[in-house]
Amino acid sequence: MLELIRKNTLLTDQFAIETDTNVDHALSVISINPVEGNETDGFTENTGITLSLDYKELDEIIFILQEASNALKRSENRL
């Protein structure tokens, strides 16, 4: 049985998002964890939330986040 795992990580100074996508099972495990620290002293990832999502759920989250981003861009253009 072939299981393809794809891993991606985004680290900011406030949070880390990690995705482990199992293509064979059509699920992605998403972890969102708060981060403390800085580049000089190093970062510490704290326990956050972990979700197992299919592509429909991911698409819904992406849509909501894109709408929030678009609203912020529109308000920035008004200033």
Side-chain angles (χ1 to χ4, degrees):
M1 174 182 277
L2 177 65
E3 287 192 13
L4 300 174
I5 304 292
R6 297 181 183 155
K7 186 176 199 134
N8 290 299
T9 303
L10 169 66
L11 177 64
T12 72
D13 59 349
Q14 295 180 355
F15 62 89
I17 297 177
E18 185 176 291
T19 64
D20 292 310
T21 303
N22 184 323
V23 177
D24 216 27
H25 290 106
L27 287 174
S28 189
V29 175
I30 312 294
S31 298
I32 303 172
N33 301 313
V35 172
E36 292 179 4
N38 56 51
E39 276 188 56
T40 306
D41 300 327
F43 293 101
T44 302
E45 239 182 277
N46 297 316
T47 303
I49 63 169
T50 300
L51 304 165
S52 181
L53 304 169
D54 64 20
Y55 75 91
K56 291 178 185 176
E57 294 164 321
L58 281 171
D59 284 348
E60 290 173 3
I61 291 168
I62 291 166
F63 176 78
I64 289 169
L65 293 173
Q66 188 63 56
E67 288 297 307
S69 176
N70 290 340
L72 290 173
K73 289 174 188 172
R74 285 191 300 272
S75 69
E76 188 176 88
N77 288 336
R78 285 187 221 138
L79 300 176

